[in-house]
Amino acid sequence: MKFATLILCLVPAMILLSSGPASNATSPEKTLKKGGYVPFTSPQQDWPRSNKHVIPLEIGKGGVAIYDQLPDRPYEVLGTVSTSGDLLVKHACLAATAAGASAILVMGDKAFTDAGIAIQPHWLKNARMPDTHAPPPDEHRLDHPDRIKSSDTPATIVVNELDGILIRWKLR
């Protein structure tokens, strides 16, 4: 009887403990997908570097550095990330960590294009861009004062987008 009572008490406790945050951890595959990761499968080469000391533009989640200039140390290309939205830095950095990258480059070079990297690296952070889906300005409609806009002021949207190249430092 005591054994059955013990089992009846332990089973619900084990179910509750197993459904906690540890079981909700994101898999590496899901993390890479959220970051829009594409692996680089071409041969590595002597990638271009800066001849002066370069400081990262930002340090993201997990200590992943984001560079808007060529780095000053040797590296290898692991792939690319492409993400947008409010959590783009988080998703890009988590994907970089899952892929084993040390940093993300958000600037391009002819060597990357020649090697077959299809993206044009860039980082738009709260950038105001023309809204291509906005209706044309209607100058005759005056039913609301907020609708009155000058025809020379195009409608804009705020864009958050990161397309970058994942790199890993080479050991010297």
Side-chain angles (χ1 to χ4, degrees), residues 92-149:
C93 289
L94 288 173
T97 302
S102 310
I104 302 171
L105 290 179
V106 290
M107 60 85 53
D109 189 89
K110 186 177 180 322
F112 301 133
T113 308
D114 292 347
I117 296 175
I119 67 161
Q120 295 299 316
H122 65 278
W123 185 8
L124 301 174
K125 192 175 186 181
N126 296 321
R128 290 212 150 292
M129 306 292 280
D131 185 1
T132 57
H133 300 293
D138 187 2
E139 296 175 5
H140 302 293
R141 187 168 177 147
L142 300 175
D143 61 346
H144 195 281
D146 290 341
R147 292 210 175 239
I148 302 173
K149 275 196 165 185

Side-chain angles (χ1 to χ4, degrees), residues 57-59 66 83 85-86 88-89 122-129 157-163:
L57 183 63
E58 186 172 319
I59 305 291
I66 301 174
T83 186
D86 293 336
L88 66 101
V89 173
H122 65 278
W123 185 8
L124 301 174
K125 192 175 186 181
N126 296 321
R128 290 212 150 292
M129 306 292 280
I157 56 173
V158 176
V159 176
N160 289 304
E161 182 177 277
L162 186 146
D163 288 345

Side-chain angles (χ1 to χ4, degrees), residues 13-33:
M14 293 301 290
I15 291 172
L16 283 174
L17 289 175
S18 66
S19 65
S23 66
N24 294 333
T26 305
S27 70
E29 294 82 21
K30 189 173 181 180
T31 301
L32 292 170
K33 185 176 180 181

Side-chain angles (χ1 to χ4, degrees), residues 69-99:
Q69 303 173 47
L70 290 172
D72 56 352
R73 47 198 270 205
Y75 58 93
E76 50 190 22
V77 173
L78 301 179
T80 61
V81 287
S82 183
T83 186
S84 60
D86 293 336
L87 299 174
L88 66 101
V89 173
K90 175 186 174 185
H91 291 165
C93 289
L94 288 173
T97 302

